[in-house]
Amino acid sequence: ALSLGTFLGGVLVYFFFFGDGAAANWAYLLRQGSPRGGAFFGNAAGALLAVLLFARLKQRSPAKLADLVFTSAPLALALMRLGCLLQGCCHGKPSALPWTVTFTAARSSVRHDFMGLPLHPTQIYESLAALTIFLAAHFYARPKVKAGAWRPGSIFLLSAVSYAAARFVIEGLRGRDTGLLSVGPFTTNQLFACASAAAAWAVWSRWRKAA
């Protein structure tokens, strides 16, 4: 259920909010027999819905299950972004910084006009951010929850807010598929990041008032 929810969430969010729009993405699906891409915020939302559904059916604590899943999820994302680096997808904008990466393989997913140019290694940025979130969740937040200092669900909220903040910044450096929604200079993923952080903060504030 978790794998299915994660996959469907990522595909559906990409289908409606990224690429060339739903119609073009549907045509691609019919032509290629596979979805065009996925969106991580959709993956996370699908995983969370699967956790909530499973918890309801099995009468488990949704907060504890969410903590369990989202303690390890950042580590999976850190590894996944290394795969994105190898493929060339999720790449950055041109940069003059000394740690840029340059893609030259024709089969890579880099924009044609960015081929051969030094780019921000946004895949590495996000991989390092996700790894940092995993370490903080596993070695800092998890012991606090186990000791009773923090309530169950805190690891999930910490991971959600931390990733949203990191992704908001990194998204400004990415150079491909900024999504179909925008408000001023903010991209679709930046809007999703703001919504995720706001929702997590609202839950946290509600907990503090109830304590």
Side-chain angles (χ1 to χ4, degrees), residues 24-182:
N25 290 334
W26 177 251
Y28 181 91
L29 177 63
L30 294 178
R31 185 172 64 253
Q32 300 293 333
S34 62
R36 193 170 190 173
F40 181 76
F41 279 109
N43 294 139
L48 181 59
L49 288 175
V51 165
L52 296 176
L53 178 61
F54 181 84
R56 185 177 183 85
L57 292 175
K58 299 295 183 179
Q59 297 183 338
R60 301 284 188 86
S61 167
K64 290 181 179 180
L65 286 176
D67 276 352
L68 181 63
V69 171
F70 286 90
T71 295
S72 56
L75 179 59
L77 177 61
L79 297 174
M80 184 180 77
R81 287 305 180 212
L82 295 180
C84 293
L85 177 66
L86 296 176
Q87 174 63 26
C89 60
C90 309
H91 62 78
K93 297 176 180 177
S95 171
L97 293 172
W99 54 78
T100 57
V101 293
T102 302
F103 297 89
T104 57
R107 292 185 297 175
S108 71
S109 299
V110 177
R111 284 172 43 176
H112 293 302
D113 54 331
F114 283 2
M115 192 72 70
L117 297 179
L119 308 176
H120 275 290
T122 46
Q123 307 95 329
I124 296 178
Y125 296 163
E126 191 168 345
S127 181
L128 292 175
L131 181 60
T132 301
I133 294 170
F134 165 74
L135 294 174
H138 188 76
F139 293 106
Y140 178 71
R142 185 167 174 265
K144 287 185 174 293
V145 172
K146 291 183 68 175
W150 288 5
R151 64 184 295 172
S154 298
I155 300 174
F156 163 67
L157 295 180
L158 174 65
S159 295
V161 171
S162 299
Y163 177 75
R167 184 62 185 269
F168 185 91
V169 175
I170 295 170
E171 188 68 20
L173 303 175
R174 289 179 64 167
R176 186 178 180 89
D177 201 350
T178 57
L180 303 177
L181 297 179
S182 64

